[in-house]
Amino acid sequence: MLEHAIFASPVSSIPKGAPTPSSAKKIYTSLFAGAACHEAEAFLSGQLDQARTLPCDLPEDPAELHAWAERNQQRVTETYAAYLAERKAGKSRRYFSSVAHALYFIRGVAPTKLVDGAWLYGCLAQWQENDFRPLIKTYVEELGEGAPAKNHVVLYQRLLDTHGVADWSELGEEHFTQGAIQLALAQTDRGALPEVVGYNLGYEQLPLHLLISSYELNELGIDPYYFTLHLTVDNASTGHAHDAIEAVLRLMQRAADPAEFYQRVRDGYRLNDLGASSTSVIQGFSLDAEVVRVLAAKARVGKHMHSDYCRVAGKSINDWLAEPAQIPALLREFERTGWITRGQAPANSRFWRLIEGERAEMFGVFSPYERQVMADWISSPAASGAPAPAPRIASFRSRTRALEQVPDRVAPTRSQRQIIRQIYDEEARQAMTGNDLLRALEQDVAQAPTRAAAIALLLPHLSPTRHHTAVGLMATRLFARMYA
């Protein structure tokens, strides 16, 4: 019988009179930054208390898990086939009403996607024990085995950057719950193995929303690779869903009380149902509300930057922007006075020409996502709010690349050249620092006296906050070779 701290008693409930656990967002922010968070265990305990009140569809007998997973996958694929038939017959998209809606979803689930696989990190310490192999294999594959083109966090960050939705820090509390749970599970060093295994079991099952969202993202011209990647690895035959069940069965038999272990697996499984889900984020989209949010955010920095002669309905733009609560009324005035013409191409609206175009006076003020929101809102009829096809907004990178191809009429001044040189020098220093770290790690691993000592050097770089860095990716590649 294995005697290890990770098999200890369950994570204890929060005792009466204890302080209320910190918010999910606070826990997430601390752990995402790589800081120690002493409140994480209390947070996880509180989440488990909530999870135990939820229904659970796992079979009572763990021996039936493989059959249960196969039935679930068959049901999902059959439902998806029916969805495709509906689309072929002319039915509209089920999830995303517009490009802006799809990008809203990508931004809304970012806190979870940017810690993909984190809950399994603590299992790496048991790399010498074969029964942990299904879990460790899953974690290393979530990390793309060290290949940037397959590392899930690298892929998702690239998706966020490409579409100008990388700023998600102001999302609501519920958006951080799942990520905080995953990071809390990652740092636990005692008493949570059954819950980790149960959470993994739930997360790695193939969900219907993954199939539909991948299809509709592709239809809207958004690269769905991050999502389609999960379609191949999360299968009940040979993929992560299968390995998740194998981990339950193997580790349960090693527990002092297998029945108790499996009950705790069920608790961990139910953690997947807390906080915002992919479908709830999709359903929470309102184009009108998102337009107001975008303009209110801009008002915080732009409320003193407009000239007094720029007036709408007798009030200066600065006065309108002084109170974010006035934004809906300002939009109505834009429509009434003809600055915005709803239900037509955005280019027909004077306001749009201020933010998009060769001579746009507010060029660069709005991100690609924010411009997409505005374009979809303008092109949608005011009565229905259902957007007509709006132009696809080019990313800032593609727009600036086009500008770079235009020859400068005036050579840069000496001070400008100095600034450019300073930027290049700083980038070179950062690259050198990164290369130095890579070389130092390679040298330390090569000189390690044993395989165990070498892996001990690598494991900290495979953590949820490091594995997607250059050093973390290299450490993952080295670990994958040593572990095979």
Side-chain angles (χ1 to χ4, degrees), residues 434-446:
N435 290 334
D436 288 345
L437 290 172
L438 290 171
R439 285 194 293 269
L441 180 60
E442 282 184 310
Q443 185 176 12
D444 289 344
V445 169

Side-chain angles (χ1 to χ4, degrees), residues 116-369:
D116 204 354
W119 62 92
L120 291 175
Y121 173 63
C123 296
L124 294 183
Q126 278 71 47
W127 64 270
Q128 297 187 43
E129 301 185 38
N130 195 57
D131 288 338
F132 281 84
R133 182 168 288 272
L135 300 176
I136 294 173
K137 171 178 173 286
T138 295
Y139 185 70
V140 173
E141 289 178 353
E142 297 283 346
L143 274 53
E145 297 180 323
K150 293 184 179 180
N151 180 284
H152 292 190
V153 172
V154 171
L155 288 173
Y156 207 81
Q157 186 62 59
R158 186 177 300 159
L159 186 64
L160 293 170
D161 291 339
T162 298
H163 297 286
V165 286
D167 182 8
W168 41 265
S169 60
E170 294 186 1
L171 291 172
E173 172 77 8
E174 69 279 3
H175 292 265
F176 293 87
T177 301
Q178 279 296 306
I181 289 172
Q182 294 178 16
L183 289 170
L185 289 171
Q187 80 157 23
T188 186
D189 59 358
R190 58 185 176 86
L193 179 66
E195 289 79 11
V196 168
V197 170
Y199 185 86
N200 183 65
L201 175 63
Y203 202 93
E204 297 297 348
Q205 302 306 309
L206 179 66
L208 177 64
H209 70 76
L210 189 63
L211 291 159
I212 295 177
S213 57
S214 298
Y215 183 90
E216 296 190 2
L217 289 172
N218 187 61
E219 196 172 35
L220 290 167
I222 298 171
D223 186 359
Y225 179 62
Y226 170 87
F227 300 93
T228 57
L229 183 63
H230 288 75
L231 298 178
T232 56
V233 297
D234 296 345
N235 69 80
S237 176
T238 59
H240 292 178
H242 174 273
D243 290 344
I245 295 171
E246 283 299 302
V248 172
L249 299 177
R250 290 187 188 189
L251 296 172
M252 183 181 67
Q253 295 307 313
R254 299 167 56 142
D257 186 341
E260 180 196 22
F261 185 97
Y262 187 60
Q263 182 55 50
R264 291 170 57 192
V265 166
R266 293 166 64 90
D267 293 341
Y269 174 83
R270 286 179 281 201
L271 285 173
N272 283 278
D273 293 329
L274 300 177
S277 65
S278 292
T279 51
S280 71
V281 171
I282 291 168
Q283 293 165 1
F285 178 76
S286 163
L287 185 55
D288 288 340
E290 191 65 359
V291 167
V292 171
R293 185 196 69 80
V294 166
L295 292 179
K298 295 302 173 188
R300 289 199 293 269
V301 295
K303 58 186 176 182
H304 300 304
M305 301 178 66
H306 296 80
S307 301
D308 287 340
Y309 68 78
C310 186
R311 308 181 76 83
V312 175
K315 292 172 62 174
S316 72
I317 294 297
N318 288 332
D319 289 339
W320 278 109
L321 299 181
E323 293 293 336
Q326 298 183 118
I327 297 297
L330 175 60
L331 288 170
R332 289 193 294 271
E333 289 299 329
F334 277 155
E335 291 186 64
R336 187 184 66 81
T337 56
W339 277 69
I340 291 177
T341 305
R342 297 286 300 278
Q344 295 187 21
N348 294 337
S349 292
R350 183 181 177 187
F351 177 81
W352 178 256
R353 294 194 295 272
L354 292 175
I355 65 176
E356 180 75 10
E358 292 182 3
R359 295 183 176 272
E361 296 180 33
M362 291 193 289
F363 173 82
V365 171
F366 292 83
S367 72
Y369 168 65

Side-chain angles (χ1 to χ4, degrees), residues 55-123:
C56 181
D57 66 342
L58 288 179
E60 294 292 336
D61 184 355
E64 297 177 5
L65 281 172
H66 280 299
W68 164 84
E70 290 174 3
R71 288 194 301 271
N72 281 347
Q73 182 157 316
Q74 182 176 0
R75 181 169 58 251
V76 166
T77 54
E78 288 175 351
T79 305
Y80 182 59
Y83 163 83
L84 292 178
E86 291 176 354
R87 296 302 310 282
K88 187 176 181 180
K91 197 167 184 178
S92 60
R93 288 186 298 272
R94 182 180 300 183
Y95 282 175
F96 305 127
S97 57
S98 63
V99 174
H101 192 173
L103 297 179
Y104 171 91
F105 158 71
I106 289 172
R107 176 178 179 265
V109 297
T112 303
K113 302 304 183 184
L114 290 175
V115 294
D116 204 354
W119 62 92
L120 291 175
Y121 173 63
C123 296

